[in-house]
Amino acid sequence: MSRTPLSHEDIRTALSQLSGWALSEDHLSIRQSFKFRDFNAAFAFMTRVALAAEKLDHHPEWFNVYNKVDITLTTHSAKGLTELDMRMAKLINDFAA
């Protein structure tokens, strides 16, 4: 999967297909907050995401408090958003469903 930065148009197109993700003001990352019934559910979600991140070699920035998980995606080596971020966002949405 490409680590080439996406164009603004490609980002808009990809985000139109990803429920809940918001583009940062600088257009270099996307973020979403997830809320679960309890800590165990949040941790199980994070575990699924972590395993997928290892397979893709693409790791999220995240913050967890009890049942809430905030996730930011960006490709640091590309200094912006890439196909990897959009793929990871789709997987994360699937895991949260």
Side-chain angles (χ1 to χ4, degrees):
M1 194 156 299
S2 175
R3 292 185 189 262
T4 303
L6 296 173
S7 69
H8 291 293
E9 183 177 324
D10 289 339
I11 292 168
R12 279 192 295 272
T13 299
L15 284 178
S16 71
Q17 300 169 19
L18 291 170
S19 176
W21 290 89
L23 185 62
S24 64
E25 288 185 27
D26 61 9
H27 294 233
L28 298 178
S29 65
I30 56 175
R31 64 186 172 282
Q32 184 168 183
S33 293
F34 297 89
K35 191 171 184 180
F36 300 91
R37 71 180 175 280
D38 56 25
F39 178 76
N40 286 338
F43 194 85
F45 165 75
M46 292 175 69
T47 300
R48 289 189 297 273
V49 172
L51 293 171
E54 279 295 300
K55 285 182 182 177
L56 287 177
D57 188 29
H58 191 62
H59 305 88
E61 296 174 17
W62 56 15
F63 180 77
N64 164 246
V65 175
Y66 185 60
N67 67 337
K68 186 177 175 189
V69 180
D70 298 326
I71 299 179
T72 300
L73 297 174
T74 189
T75 304
H76 295 286
S77 61
K79 297 182 175 77
L81 291 162
T82 67
E83 290 177 19
L84 276 170
D85 299 299
M86 301 309 168
R87 173 74 177 131
M88 193 71 201
K90 183 183 181 331
L91 286 171
I92 290 169
N93 278 0
D94 291 346
F95 294 143

